Amino acid sequence: MEKLESIKDHAKKLKLNYLNTNADSIVENADINNISYQNLLLSILENEVDLREKKAQERRVKAAGFPVLKTIEEFDLTFQRSITQRQINSLIEMDWIDRMYNLILLGPPGVGKSHLCIALGYKAVEMGYKVSFTTMDNLMHCLKTQEISRKSKGKINNVLSSSLLIIDELGYLPISREEANLFFQLISALHEQTSLIITSNKGLEDWTELLGDPALTTAVLDRITYRCELFNMTGKSYRLEHRESLF
């Protein structure tokens, strides 16, 4: 028992959490099943790696800031026919992130834009990418207050160090000239450094009205669409078609 406690103590100091937590059962199982020293060590190390990867993924999910968790498997391709299974299969390989491509999802409310961008972001996290999710409104707030708010500064730093930034709901709320300039500066800073997924209820031809300056809009779109896949998602609102009623 003394040796077992020493093993746990050393494991704790070395941050071998699996061994620290499971030392008793590991030793007992090795005795019962006559496990070789090599297989015992291999099993311990494999479980340590699995545990660390699981915790790292949990940290990446938390840092991403998803409002809810959605998966690709939950996305109803029978309802939203503007995107195909073949396209989905290609997107979840995440080669487009490595190549610094952007995705723009356009369409009215309820057609699955937010579900799809969250699901792709979550899949990217599972594959080890650093992801940041934000609504356009929250992004503008953080950009404007980063000099006076530690929380906002932390969010922007997280955005700048991400492999993938998801900006949801661009165009739902009006933005000022100052905000449009801040948005342009951010897009310029991220250009060919970070992949983007942007969802919007407005077509690209309406972004000039949104950003308030034709030259600035051209500059923003030039950077976003340089390497970009555009999806026009049409159809009825999934939420309205599948709404739940009390009666």
PDB file of all heavy atoms in Angstrom, residues 7 17-18 57 72 111 118 154 186:
ATOM      1  N   ILE A   7       3.182   5.824  -5.771  1.00  0.00           N
ATOM      2  CA  ILE A   7       2.890   5.901  -7.206  1.00  0.00           C
ATOM      3  C   ILE A   7       1.881   7.011  -7.471  1.00  0.00           C
ATOM      4  O   ILE A   7       2.052   7.837  -8.380  1.00  0.00           O
ATOM      5  CB  ILE A   7       2.356   4.549  -7.721  1.00  0.00           C
ATOM      6  CG1 ILE A   7       3.478   3.511  -7.745  1.00  0.00           C
ATOM      7  CG2 ILE A   7       1.745   4.707  -9.122  1.00  0.00           C
ATOM      8  CD1 ILE A   7       3.002   2.110  -8.058  1.00  0.00           C
ATOM      9  N   ASN A  17      -2.843  12.229 -14.648  1.00  0.00           N
ATOM     10  CA  ASN A  17      -4.144  12.161 -13.976  1.00  0.00           C
ATOM     11  C   ASN A  17      -4.797  10.796 -14.068  1.00  0.00           C
ATOM     12  O   ASN A  17      -5.471  10.347 -13.135  1.00  0.00           O
ATOM     13  CB  ASN A  17      -5.075  13.234 -14.548  1.00  0.00           C
ATOM     14  CG  ASN A  17      -4.582  14.638 -14.256  1.00  0.00           C
ATOM     15  OD1 ASN A  17      -4.009  14.879 -13.203  1.00  0.00           O
ATOM     16  ND2 ASN A  17      -4.774  15.551 -15.183  1.00  0.00           N
ATOM     17  N   TYR A  18      -4.628  10.133 -15.212  1.00  0.00           N
ATOM     18  CA  TYR A  18      -5.228   8.797 -15.348  1.00  0.00           C
ATOM     19  C   TYR A  18      -4.603   7.833 -14.346  1.00  0.00           C
ATOM     20  O   TYR A  18      -5.313   7.093 -13.662  1.00  0.00           O
ATOM     21  CB  TYR A  18      -5.054   8.278 -16.774  1.00  0.00           C
ATOM     22  CG  TYR A  18      -5.479   6.826 -16.929  1.00  0.00           C
ATOM     23  CD1 TYR A  18      -6.831   6.494 -17.028  1.00  0.00           C
ATOM     24  CD2 TYR A  18      -4.531   5.801 -16.944  1.00  0.00           C
ATOM     25  CE1 TYR A  18      -7.235   5.171 -17.143  1.00  0.00           C
ATOM     26  CE2 TYR A  18      -4.921   4.478 -17.057  1.00  0.00           C
ATOM     27  CZ  TYR A  18      -6.272   4.167 -17.155  1.00  0.00           C
ATOM     28  OH  TYR A  18      -6.673   2.847 -17.255  1.00  0.00           O
ATOM     29  N   GLN A  57      -9.705  19.021 -25.856  1.00  0.00           N
ATOM     30  CA  GLN A  57     -10.880  19.278 -26.686  1.00  0.00           C
ATOM     31  C   GLN A  57     -11.945  20.025 -25.896  1.00  0.00           C
ATOM     32  O   GLN A  57     -12.584  20.950 -26.418  1.00  0.00           O
ATOM     33  CB  GLN A  57     -11.467  17.971 -27.222  1.00  0.00           C
ATOM     34  CG  GLN A  57     -12.703  18.178 -28.094  1.00  0.00           C
ATOM     35  CD  GLN A  57     -13.204  16.884 -28.703  1.00  0.00           C
ATOM     36  OE1 GLN A  57     -12.424  16.070 -29.172  1.00  0.00           O
ATOM     37  NE2 GLN A  57     -14.514  16.701 -28.691  1.00  0.00           N
ATOM     38  N   ILE A  72     -22.941  17.802 -37.351  1.00  0.00           N
ATOM     39  CA  ILE A  72     -23.249  17.580 -38.759  1.00  0.00           C
ATOM     40  C   ILE A  72     -24.306  16.495 -38.910  1.00  0.00           C
ATOM     41  O   ILE A  72     -25.200  16.589 -39.767  1.00  0.00           O
ATOM     42  CB  ILE A  72     -21.965  17.182 -39.530  1.00  0.00           C
ATOM     43  CG1 ILE A  72     -21.034  18.393 -39.654  1.00  0.00           C
ATOM     44  CG2 ILE A  72     -22.304  16.620 -40.895  1.00  0.00           C
ATOM     45  CD1 ILE A  72     -21.551  19.505 -40.537  1.00  0.00           C
ATOM     46  N   VAL A 111     -33.136  28.657 -42.233  1.00  0.00           N
ATOM     47  CA  VAL A 111     -32.796  27.667 -43.267  1.00  0.00           C
ATOM     48  C   VAL A 111     -31.600  26.793 -42.885  1.00  0.00           C
ATOM     49  O   VAL A 111     -31.183  25.927 -43.660  1.00  0.00           O
ATOM     50  CB  VAL A 111     -32.540  28.337 -44.631  1.00  0.00           C
ATOM     51  CG1 VAL A 111     -33.813  28.985 -45.156  1.00  0.00           C
ATOM     52  CG2 VAL A 111     -31.396  29.347 -44.548  1.00  0.00           C
ATOM     53  N   ILE A 118     -22.116  26.191 -36.811  1.00  0.00           N
ATOM     54  CA  ILE A 118     -21.738  25.656 -35.494  1.00  0.00           C
ATOM     55  C   ILE A 118     -21.256  24.216 -35.627  1.00  0.00           C
ATOM     56  O   ILE A 118     -20.248  23.825 -35.020  1.00  0.00           O
ATOM     57  CB  ILE A 118     -22.913  25.747 -34.505  1.00  0.00           C
ATOM     58  CG1 ILE A 118     -23.209  27.205 -34.161  1.00  0.00           C
ATOM     59  CG2 ILE A 118     -22.603  24.968 -33.226  1.00  0.00           C
ATOM     60  CD1 ILE A 118     -24.486  27.408 -33.360  1.00  0.00           C
ATOM     61  N   GLY A 154      -9.722  40.007 -24.403  1.00  0.00           N
ATOM     62  CA  GLY A 154      -9.459  38.577 -24.425  1.00  0.00           C
ATOM     63  C   GLY A 154     -10.150  37.890 -25.586  1.00  0.00           C
ATOM     64  O   GLY A 154      -9.576  36.996 -26.231  1.00  0.00           O
ATOM     65  N   LEU A 186     -10.278  44.245 -38.907  1.00  0.00           N
ATOM     66  CA  LEU A 186     -10.199  42.859 -38.440  1.00  0.00           C
ATOM     67  C   LEU A 186     -10.052  41.899 -39.615  1.00  0.00           C
ATOM     68  O   LEU A 186      -9.200  40.993 -39.588  1.00  0.00           O
ATOM     69  CB  LEU A 186     -11.440  42.497 -37.620  1.00  0.00           C
ATOM     70  CG  LEU A 186     -11.496  41.047 -37.130  1.00  0.00           C
ATOM     71  CD1 LEU A 186     -10.386  40.790 -36.103  1.00  0.00           C
ATOM     72  CD2 LEU A 186     -12.864  40.717 -36.538  1.00  0.00           C
TER      73      LEU A 186
END
